[in-house]
Amino acid sequence: MSDSYNKWGWIVLITTVSFSVVWILYFMIVQVPVDLGEETNIPPVIIGSVDISQVEEYWVSGELMVQKGAEVYATYCALCHGTAGRGDGVAGRGLKPPPRDFFEGDWKYGGGSIDLFKVITEGSEGTSMASFAHIPKLERWALVHFVRSLTKNPVPDDPVQTKEFATNAK
């Protein structure tokens, strides 16, 4: 009885291994093409395409600074604050308190350029907003201008005070 049991076990094992080898070889040799409908002619994404190095008055909002701010925002902020700045980003869904909705404004520390620059640089205590002091100063100012472009109620800036702060900020 034990001889017949071993015989059938070997037959099943050899059949299974043989079938597996034939199956693998079939797919390695035949290589059935599968069309997933993917786009193959996608243009490359250019990161850092806006050059703001020649902007002299970076504390003053302008089209170039807002465009650069949009690039910086997409890189560092959109994940939590959402692509439109409504505080509805994928990573921000579980945060308490939730990320700031830039459209509504409702600023915790004030919505002026200086206030936003400080929050971007230092973070916001008691929230998940971390410091982004590692971002170059010009890019943080570009980010300030972009965030201010999103809000429906921008806080007016004092140009003299903003210039003085900007030229001394790190």
Side-chain angles (χ1 to χ4, degrees):
M1 186 179 217
S2 67
D3 288 336
S4 118
Y5 175 76
N6 286 337
K7 177 181 161 187
W8 284 108
W10 277 108
I11 291 173
V12 169
L13 177 67
I14 291 171
T15 305
T16 304
V17 170
S18 300
F19 179 75
S20 299
V21 169
V22 169
W23 186 257
I24 291 169
L25 288 175
Y26 171 76
F27 280 104
M28 287 176 62
I29 295 170
V30 175
Q31 296 181 3
V32 179
V34 177
D35 181 17
L36 299 176
E38 296 175 318
E39 179 65 41
T40 56
N41 295 324
I42 299 173
V45 176
I46 300 171
I47 299 176
S49 62
V50 178
D51 181 18
I52 58 171
S53 62
Q54 302 304 315
V55 175
E56 292 181 17
E57 294 185 338
Y58 50 87
W59 57 88
V60 177
S61 186
E63 185 178 336
L64 198 60
M65 289 298 283
V66 172
Q67 287 176 357
K68 182 62 175 185
E71 285 182 4
V72 176
Y73 181 88
T75 303
Y76 296 104
C77 311
L79 199 57
C80 291
H81 290 282
T83 55
R86 299 301 306 243
D88 59 354
V90 175
R93 291 183 182 150
L95 299 178
K96 299 290 182 216
R100 178 81 47 223
D101 177 345
F102 297 129
F103 180 76
E104 291 299 325
D106 193 24
W107 308 106
K108 183 175 182 179
Y109 298 108
S113 295
I114 295 172
D115 304 317
L116 295 177
F117 185 84
K118 285 179 179 178
V119 170
I120 292 167
T121 303
E122 300 167 5
S124 178
E125 190 175 332
T127 72
S128 297
M129 174 66 188
S131 164
F132 284 89
H134 63 280
I135 299 174
K137 178 180 169 179
L138 286 179
E139 291 185 11
R140 282 182 277 149
W141 277 106
L143 189 53
V144 165
H145 298 307
F146 177 71
V147 168
R148 287 175 56 86
S149 76
L150 296 176
T151 188
K152 68 178 182 180
N153 59 349
V155 175
D157 283 332
D158 176 359
V160 175
Q161 186 181 9
T162 304
K163 177 181 179 180
E164 183 181 328
F165 174 83
T167 54
N168 296 317
K170 294 183 181 188

